[in-house]
Amino acid sequence: MEDRIKLSVLGFSFNQTQSGTYGLVLAEEDGLRRLMVVIGTPEAQSIAFKLQGSIPPRPLTHDLFQMLLSQFAILLLEVNIYKYENGVFFSKMIFRQGSEIIEIESRTSDAIAIALRTKSPVFTTEAIMQDQAVVFDESTASENSLEDERDNLALDYSLLNKEELESLLKDAIDGEDYELASLLRDELLRKKGRSY
């Protein structure tokens, strides 16, 4: 069996090659390699909410999927990013319901958004990491923890709509995170077409 590499979600980097897409950065657990998966705006919004620990004003599609899994006692065992071809990562979601194991093909972005909600592990292969991953600078890695790196990745609030930004802003103020509240306020003002 091929070596499996466990990944964790770090955040987003700006993707300047394709309009309307974002680069989701996945980190090798206990390693220096990083894998970037290009994802669309709706998936980026869904993942951003989960990474921020915020609740959207209305349930998103991935939230509904998680609720269905819970209601029908289905467990997401893992996500497996098993292939990269023509610029696309291919993934399978592996579920268990009772004694039955079910594999379902999924877009990688959807699989990761659901895995974050169910706290399920994400894996890929050593071959994919060798071919597609970039190595994080070792000298920087010794000075910075994974948490520091996660904090340094950009979370592009422009991908959220006004209602979502207002919800995040309320959460930030309630949590006394005034630095985040300031960023969200500025983005809201930009969306409303006002200068500040």
Side-chain angles (χ1 to χ4, degrees), residues 42-179:
E43 295 77 23
Q45 288 176 326
S46 179
I47 290 168
F49 264 108
K50 198 62 190 166
L51 291 177
Q52 282 296 104
S54 297
I55 298 168
R58 303 283 317 263
L60 302 174
T61 304
H62 300 114
D63 298 318
L64 293 173
F65 195 92
Q66 177 200 8
M67 287 184 252
L68 281 169
L69 291 177
S70 177
Q71 288 297 313
F72 289 98
I74 300 170
L75 179 66
L76 174 58
L77 297 175
E78 68 181 57
V79 169
N80 183 10
I81 304 170
Y82 68 92
K83 182 170 78 170
Y84 180 83
E85 185 175 281
N86 298 325
V88 176
F89 287 97
F90 290 78
S91 295
K92 288 182 183 173
M93 299 174 75
I94 296 130
F95 297 96
R96 183 177 70 217
Q97 185 178 32
S99 61
E100 190 174 357
I101 303 291
I102 304 153
E103 284 189 15
I104 296 176
E105 187 74 23
S106 173
R107 293 187 313 168
T108 299
S109 55
D110 290 326
I112 290 172
I114 294 165
L116 282 172
R117 284 162 170 76
T118 58
K119 297 179 174 47
S120 303
V122 177
F123 295 96
T124 193
T125 66
E126 178 61 33
I128 287 174
M129 291 301 283
Q130 286 180 7
D131 290 344
Q132 299 302 318
V134 295
V135 178
F136 187 60
D137 181 10
E138 270 189 76
S139 61
T140 309
S142 61
E143 298 164 16
N144 297 332
S145 69
L146 199 59
E147 286 299 317
D148 292 335
E149 186 184 353
R150 184 176 280 120
D151 290 343
N152 290 333
L153 283 171
L155 183 53
D156 186 357
Y157 294 107
S158 67
L159 58 87
L160 303 174
N161 67 34
K162 288 179 196 172
E163 189 178 53
E164 292 164 338
L165 284 166
E166 286 166 355
S167 175
L168 282 175
L169 178 59
K170 182 186 178 312
D171 290 348
I173 292 169
D174 291 347
E176 298 181 3
D177 186 346
Y178 300 115
E179 187 177 332

